[in-house]
Amino acid sequence: MSTSSQTKVLVTGAGGFIGHHLVTFLKQKGYWVRGVDIKYPEFSEVDADEFELLDLRRWDNCLQATRGIDEVYGLAADMGGMGFISSHHSQILHNNSLINIHTLEAARINGVKRYFYTSSACVYPEYRQTETNVVPLKEEDAYPAQPQDAYGWEKLVMERLCTHYREDYGLQTRIVRFHNIFGEQGTWEGGREKAPAALCRKIAVAKLTGNHEIEMWGDGEQTRSFCHISDCLEGIYRLMRSDYPFPLNLGSDRMVTINELAHIIARIAGIEITIKHVPGPMGVRGRNSDNTRLREVLGWEPQLSLEEGLARTYAWIEQQVAHKLGISVS
Ligand code: NAD
């Protein structure tokens, strides 16, 4: 039940991984929440006060989505893991540009006060990410710009648009750059899944079928950092409530190779695996988050260890895989 004193928020992309978790988180904080997406959440019930199925590429739908709203968390995007974003450039640039340009302008027209934009580590220039032992990326490293094709370019341009809306119209925009968020209830099959979920699935299949060889794209020596959804939610909330208007990294600064990631998951699963390296898209050679500014601005940084985050995620994905294979696990 909404009361007039309750802040009304809109979460776009509320049928997706982070958006669905964020709706639950904001409900627990006492907000009135409207969720919007082109699909319902796949793995559990909607917690939002209202959930509307709307295609946010359309201007009229963006006006409808933002009506009567005080604050927007814009998470809707046509996206996926490296396999997806490296092979759908036109679709990604076209769809995400329309979604974000229309949602931001509709928010302004409808008098929204605060707007949270979800950018990505993919805005950082490829020339700073050519080594596995990469220097962690600071916010100002985004320029001179040479982001990841299509997906990263759209994110960078929308960061600029949010900044100009704040300067020109006084709409309080907050901009986060996520570094590889993972966790329970994220996409784990179908082509849009990211490395942690794909590896959890492959290792669960290996465990449940007894064939302990898994395939991995590339040599597995590429490096990344991974942040669990629970820390992501806390960081989103702290940044939205802060007065910091510039892009801010949100991720872990513990860098691992993809081979190491696979072995951590295998240890959690309690099996030994053999990795078969096969050709496939790998993205940049190395990437890590510099969290100096995150600590300064929010007085906080991600808390959960990679092992604990992966243990929670693996347990959930193993259940999904077992269900699909028709195997019961204790
Ligand atoms: P997700 O794919 O699970 O969620 C995105 C949601 O947007 C999906 O449910 C999708 O149906 C919805 N959507 C797509 N097109 C739409 C449209 N036309 N109208 C309405 N809804 C539409 O992705 P996620 O991991 O939850 O990511 C959320 C946001 O964070 C995205 O903007 C993404 O680019 C950004 N991000 C995520 C990560 C990560 O590691 N997960 C990293 C960097 C940035």
Side-chain angles (χ1 to χ4, degrees):
M1 196 56 191
S2 154
T3 64
S4 55
S5 62
Q6 232 178 344
T7 303
K8 292 191 165 191
V9 304
L10 165 68
V11 176
T12 77
F17 167 48
I18 303 173
H20 176 56
H21 281 282
L22 184 61
V23 166
T24 306
F25 182 91
L26 292 172
K27 278 303 299 169
Q28 285 164 0
K29 294 267 181 210
Y31 289 89
W32 183 93
V33 184
R34 176 182 300 144
V36 166
D37 202 300
I38 43 172
K39 64 170 173 85
Y40 287 108
E42 274 172 67
F43 307 111
S44 57
E45 295 300 307
V46 167
D47 277 339
D49 295 277
E50 263 178 33
F51 193 100
E52 295 185 339
L53 286 179
L54 294 171
D55 183 341
L56 294 174
R57 290 173 300 180
R58 287 181 46 167
W59 165 243
D60 52 342
N61 285 343
C62 290
L63 278 177
Q64 183 178 332
T66 51
R67 73 194 187 284
I69 289 293
D70 301 305
E71 300 185 351
V72 173
Y73 293 82
L75 283 89
D78 193 355
M79 63 99 65
M82 195 43 63
F84 179 79
I85 62 177
S86 62
S87 59
H88 293 79
H89 287 148
S90 333
Q91 178 185 327
I92 286 172
L93 188 46
H94 174 267
N95 289 348
N96 293 344
S97 302
L98 289 179
I99 291 169
N100 289 312
I101 288 175
H102 285 158
T103 310
L104 187 60
E105 174 64 2
R108 180 182 79 85
I109 299 272
N110 275 327
V112 166
K113 308 278 181 306
R114 232 164 235 258
Y115 192 100
F116 190 91
Y117 177 60
T118 49
S119 184
S120 164
C122 292
V123 301
Y124 287 111
E126 295 189 345
Y127 60 79
R128 289 192 196 276
Q129 304 174 80
T130 55
E131 306 287 329
T132 54
N133 193 17
V134 67
V135 177
L137 294 156
K138 288 186 193 317
E139 285 76 359
E140 54 270 32
D141 291 339
Y143 298 95
Q146 191 202 333
Q148 168 139 35
D149 207 359
Y151 180 72
W153 274 110
E154 189 273 339
K155 292 288 190 197
L156 198 60
V157 170
M158 290 309 145
E159 287 189 0
R160 310 292 301 193
L161 194 64
C162 287
T163 302
H164 294 309
Y165 266 59
R166 178 177 54 78
E167 292 165 348
D168 296 347
Y169 303 125
L171 173 54
Q172 281 304 311
T173 50
R174 300 289 176 264
I175 303 166
V176 77
R177 291 181 184 154
F178 290 143
H179 288 248
N180 299 312
I181 312 302
F182 73 97
E184 308 82 90
Q185 301 193 41
T187 303
W188 58 275
E189 63 170 351
R192 287 186 188 240
E193 66 279 18
K194 311 220 178 75
L199 288 172
C200 285
R201 183 197 69 227
K202 289 176 186 185
I203 290 167
V205 170
K207 178 177 172 179
L208 296 170
T209 62
N211 173 4
H212 289 189
E213 183 178 88
I214 66 155
E215 285 194 352
M216 182 187 287
W217 290 342
D219 65 2
E221 289 304 304
Q222 64 273 32
T223 51
R224 296 289 187 280
S225 67
F226 298 94
C227 177
H228 188 256
I229 182 69
S230 54
D231 280 321
C232 173
L233 297 172
E234 183 65 27
I236 291 175
Y237 189 68
R238 284 173 182 252
L239 177 55
M240 184 62 146
R241 300 272 54 92
S242 80
D243 59 4
Y244 190 75
F246 306 109
L248 191 68
N249 284 334
L250 175 49
S252 161
D253 56 5
R254 173 174 164 198
M255 192 168 72
V256 292
T257 67
I258 303 301
N259 286 325
E260 284 166 348
L261 184 70
H263 287 295
I264 296 172
I265 299 169
R267 274 200 295 281
I268 290 165
I271 62 168
E272 295 269 339
I273 50 163
T274 319
I275 301 176
K276 182 179 172 198
H277 296 281
V278 297
M282 283 188 289
V284 292
R285 195 65 182 147
R287 175 181 289 157
N288 194 7
S289 175
D290 183 317
N291 284 351
T292 311
R293 188 145 313 135
L294 176 75
R295 284 189 289 270
E296 277 167 16
V297 170
L298 302 186
W300 169 91
E301 65 185 313
Q303 302 290 311
L304 200 72
S305 71
L306 179 60
E307 283 76 6
E308 178 55 30
L310 286 172
R312 295 182 193 179
T313 308
Y314 178 80
W316 181 78
I317 291 182
E318 191 188 280
Q319 270 183 358
Q320 304 293 311
V321 172
H323 181 71
K324 190 151 187 181
L325 296 178
I327 298 170
S328 67
V329 283
S330 49

